[in-house]
Amino acid sequence: MTDRYCVFGNPIKHSKSPLIHGEFASQTHQAMSYTAELAPVEGFADAWRAFIADGGRGANVTVPFKGDAFALCDTLSHRAKRAQAVNTLIVGGNGRTYGDTTDGIGLVRDLAYHRVPLAGKRVLVIGAGGAVRGVLEPLLAEQPSEVVIVNRTAEKAEQLAQAFADLGNIQGGGLASIDGQFDLVINGTSASLSGELPPLPETLFAKGAWAYDMMYGSEPTVFLQWAGPRGAKLLDGLGMLVEQAAESFFLWRNVRPETASVRTLLRQSLNY
């Protein structure tokens, strides 16, 4: 019998998740299908219940439903509670819904894949939305010397820093509060999708620093285009997408897929 999985989103046609999980299933010989499902903006919970009723075993959740998924879960992982968002749903043996988030693990594993050091390093994170909240716990677990969150609305960044202050040295403020140089700068905003770039200091990057954009595409993002000439080594979010998917796959199937070949396939599919 083939187990059913999917990714819910709105919009969702662009999703690479069916390609990724199809490759994972093939390489690990899992009897499963994985589709992209468009859910109504105001009807996510009904879409999930209908999917379960039709034999669904689990799902990924993307924009704009991670908060909705968090709200409908019967049980949550510790990291999902911290993130206040869910990107992975699992149907338990009793029919109850378990929620987890794998975004932060995906980011940290992608950084490790590219041998980006985190321990003892100074990290700047731009943005204070759900994408950033979801990665802070795993990021702080790598023991950077400091994580600084900056946002156009300083209060949001300050509140986020306070919420995670028990996990490490973390500060929050407005874009104008950026001080000094950083070893890693992560763009966690969606500004790249609209071709926008927040105002950033020209001297942002320390020697040997990395610039990481959680977004990805067929061309380098605006943030990466800006960071390259200023001395940073560049990474986009494609690897994070693959690694968070691999963690979701492991939670569903208890098998850990190999990711390097899927990274290559996905990059080729973008012609980038």
Side-chain angles (χ1 to χ4, degrees), residues 37-246:
E37 301 292 332
L38 180 71
V41 172
E42 299 298 330
F44 173 74
D46 288 341
W48 168 241
R49 284 190 283 267
F51 184 71
I52 294 174
D54 201 31
R57 300 300 304 151
N60 285 129
V61 184
T62 188
V63 176
F65 298 125
K66 292 183 183 183
D68 297 279
F70 176 82
L72 67 73
C73 288
D74 300 302
T75 311
L76 292 160
S77 71
H78 170 76
R79 57 192 179 190
K81 289 177 183 175
R82 271 284 188 182
Q84 294 185 13
V86 159
N87 82 331
T88 304
L89 294 169
I90 305 165
V91 181
N94 55 4
R96 291 165 66 83
T97 297
Y98 174 81
D100 203 344
T101 179
T102 64
D103 287 331
I105 292 294
L107 171 65
V108 169
R109 288 200 178 136
D110 189 33
L111 291 169
Y113 179 88
H114 290 286
R115 295 183 173 83
V116 179
L118 289 171
K121 302 299 183 180
R122 197 162 187 246
V123 179
L124 178 71
V125 183
I126 305 165
V132 170
R133 187 177 191 103
V135 304
L136 288 177
E137 182 180 14
L139 200 58
L140 287 163
E142 298 299 310
Q143 299 185 313
S145 64
E146 182 182 27
V147 172
V148 178
I149 308 168
V150 293
N151 191 58
R152 290 187 189 276
T153 307
E155 187 180 10
K156 284 186 178 179
E158 291 162 1
Q159 290 172 349
L160 201 50
Q162 289 170 7
F164 287 83
D166 59 314
L167 300 181
N169 183 13
I170 183 168
Q171 316 295 328
L175 292 166
S177 70
I178 298 173
D179 183 38
Q181 295 184 318
F182 294 84
D183 303 295
L184 171 63
V185 179
I186 300 171
N187 180 25
T189 74
S190 58
S192 292
L193 295 178
S194 55
E196 297 176 6
L197 181 70
L200 299 168
E202 292 286 323
T203 56
L204 190 60
F205 300 103
K207 186 176 181 180
W210 292 81
Y212 191 105
D213 199 319
M214 289 189 192
M215 301 292 143
Y216 69 93
S218 57
E219 300 288 338
T221 66
V222 171
F223 170 67
L224 295 181
Q225 290 178 38
W226 177 85
R230 287 158 183 82
K233 293 176 278 189
L234 310 180
L235 286 173
D236 68 11
L238 182 142
M240 176 179 171
L241 175 68
V242 175
E243 294 296 340
Q244 64 81 22

Side-chain angles (χ1 to χ4, degrees), residues 6-21 34-37 60 62 216 241 244 266 269:
C6 75
V7 56
F8 285 108
N10 190 330
I12 198 61
K13 263 174 71 172
H14 67 285
S15 176
K16 298 292 185 182
S17 293
L19 171 63
I20 294 170
H21 285 282
Y34 188 105
T35 56
E37 301 292 332
N60 285 129
T62 188
Y216 69 93
L241 175 68
Q244 64 81 22
L266 202 55
S269 78

